[in-house]
Amino acid sequence: MPVPVIDFHIHVLPPHRLYSFVQSWMQAFVPEPVGPYLERLSTPEAVLAMMDEAGVDYGVVLAELSPITAGMLISSEETVEFCRDNPRLIPFANINPYLTTDPARDLRRYVTEYGVRGVKILPTYHHFYPTDKFLYPLYAVAQEMGLPAMFHTGSSVFQNSRTKYGDPLLFEDLTLDFPDLVIIMSHSGRGFWTDTAAHLARSYQNLYMEIAGLPPPSLLKYFPDLEQLANKVIFGSDWPSQPFMKRNVKGIKDLPISEEAKAKILGGTAARLLGLPMN
């Protein structure tokens, strides 16, 4: 049976919720004014049509509460509503520990009441180390409920982000302290930590790399052993900050690696982690 293609990194960004500098940065990538572009494409129907054009079967839609870095204020509840009645759209909660008194309680509620399928955590945007112990109850809930925990790693172009909180080496402690928690390193240590991310993914069975924001033609430069790493690598487009979903899918398909490895990267590994059927 064919393996589904899964985009593990989709944002829904109504322009009125983004700081002007974010819109200015995005303008370099889109062929029309950013405001109308985002308004037009920030509906479930538009995202599904874009996925169809790119040959993507499922998309993980990420909540984000990052008021100090980008003005992104897309709550977990709104993300669930966006995905409602669209089984191809998979909602992930976002927990900003500075905006709640009980992150673990909130995550459990998002799962039991809203049906989220994972959690996105943003140390570089929210300014904490992922190993800070006040987050351990959150990780315990994610481990107990079988939820993937996805962390921003590496650099960011957004103002007020702090790269020091995105070092993949920090996840070595988490993999050992929560051996049954699926930990996903979003952006794979983008910048100067790609080697660290790859080494850790090879070394720990519950640690995975996600490649949103990394141009597919450069993947073999960053990860020369991508073929051997394929079962630990997850595709993501980072749409719309990287509005190239179709091009990025094609970029993976054009890599000089085996078809089996491409299938794992484009969806096989993600389908296994999310419990999705093979088409």
Side-chain angles (χ1 to χ4, degrees), residues 98-214:
Y98 298 120
L99 300 180
T100 176
T101 59
D102 194 335
R105 177 203 60 200
D106 287 356
L107 181 58
R108 189 180 297 278
R109 180 172 63 86
Y110 290 144
V111 176
T112 57
E113 296 183 17
Y114 296 101
V116 302
R117 303 283 294 277
V119 58
K120 176 73 179 293
I121 302 169
L122 294 152
T124 55
Y125 292 178
H126 300 160
H127 300 177
F128 57 83
Y129 291 103
T131 49
D132 285 346
K133 291 300 189 286
F134 72 90
L135 289 163
Y136 270 45
L138 170 67
Y139 304 148
V141 169
Q143 178 174 254
E144 172 198 337
M145 305 190 87
L147 297 179
M150 181 178 177
F151 294 80
H152 182 106
T153 65
S155 62
S156 172
V157 299
F158 291 152
Q159 295 176 14
N160 298 316
S161 63
R162 298 291 184 268
T163 304
K164 67 180 181 179
Y165 298 114
D167 185 347
L169 187 59
L170 297 165
F171 296 104
E172 184 172 51
D173 281 352
L174 296 190
T175 62
L176 297 172
D177 292 342
F178 298 93
D180 296 320
L181 175 63
V182 170
I183 299 171
I184 299 171
M185 298 178 288
S186 187
H187 310 297
S188 298
R190 177 177 56 195
F192 35 80
W193 285 321
T194 52
D195 286 347
T196 302
H199 174 78
L200 292 168
R202 284 192 295 267
S203 301
Y204 296 101
Q205 58 86 23
N206 59 328
L207 193 56
Y208 294 81
M209 298 159 49
E210 184 251 52
I211 55 174
L214 300 178

Side-chain angles (χ1 to χ4, degrees), residues 5 8 13 19 102 106 118 129 152 170 178 186 198 218 242 244 272:
V5 176
F8 217 87
L13 303 177
Y19 291 145
D102 194 335
D106 287 356
Y129 291 103
H152 182 106
L170 297 165
F178 298 93
S186 187
S218 299
Q242 297 292 321
F244 314 116
R272 174 166 51 85

